[in-house]
Amino acid sequence: MKWTRRIAIAVVALFVGSQFVPLDRSNPPVTGEIEASADVMAILKKACYDCHSNEVNWPWYAWVSPVSFAVTHHVEEGREHLNFSEWDKLSADDRAEAIEECWEEVEEGEMPMFVYLPMHSEAKLTEEEHATLKAWASRYGKHDDD
């Protein structure tokens, strides 16, 4: 009984203590947003911007540890890989490659991430939205029409 109680106290102390670990949940300024048609922008904003922009809508659970660690990590990785709010920092070739890669990630079911969808069902893309993104990507590179 003593060990069980000590373990329980330690777990509670770790949980409470982890709430005070500082995490960066900032939204830096937008320096140059991607330019796309209204329908493409609507898809990107609802399914991509929470990890791939400086316009993250931080949900309540991004403030509760240990989930907060995962959320902030996903946003950091997403922004590092592709940031639609810093589009001006990419060359024309890099932009075309990024758009092509966006479509590939969507087509392969990698994006939006499966862990994001349960709390953000609006981010699940329809067949029509898939077709819109495919057409958008096909205008920018070596996209296959398979």
Side-chain angles (χ1 to χ4, degrees):
M1 183 74 162
K2 285 184 178 182
W3 288 106
T4 304
R5 185 173 180 186
R6 286 181 184 171
I7 291 171
I9 290 170
V11 167
V12 169
L14 281 171
F15 175 77
V16 171
S18 70
Q19 303 308 312
F20 298 101
V21 174
L23 299 173
D24 182 11
R25 296 178 201 87
S26 64
N27 280 327
V30 174
T31 62
E33 190 167 42
I34 184 172
E35 292 181 16
S37 64
D39 55 343
V40 170
M41 286 302 294
I43 296 167
L44 296 178
K45 285 190 182 261
K46 81 170 194 156
C48 308
Y49 265 48
D50 273 348
C51 289
H52 294 283
S53 80
N54 295 344
E55 301 175 54
V56 175
N57 292 313
W58 295 97
W60 64 268
Y61 53 85
W63 301 90
V64 180
S65 175
V67 176
S68 59
F69 295 106
V71 172
T72 56
H73 177 72
H74 285 271
V75 171
E76 287 170 5
E77 275 193 341
R79 285 176 174 168
E80 183 179 305
H81 189 71
L82 174 64
N83 190 333
F84 291 116
S85 297
E86 297 178 358
W87 198 247
D88 60 325
K89 295 180 180 179
L90 299 177
S91 69
D93 286 343
D94 289 342
R95 290 176 184 182
E97 187 176 320
I99 291 170
E100 179 65 20
E101 192 172 327
C102 286
W103 165 245
E104 288 172 4
E105 293 289 318
V106 169
E107 182 180 40
E108 293 168 3
E110 298 295 320
M111 290 290 153
M113 291 177 60
F114 75 95
V115 297
Y116 180 75
L117 293 173
M119 296 296 284
H120 302 273
S121 59
E122 74 282 356
K124 185 167 174 55
L125 301 176
T126 65
E127 286 184 31
E128 182 180 325
E129 290 167 330
H130 274 237
T132 299
L133 291 178
K134 183 176 182 178
W136 175 59
S138 70
R139 291 190 291 266
Y140 289 95
K142 307 169 252 170
H143 180 70
D144 291 330
D145 285 328
D146 47 78

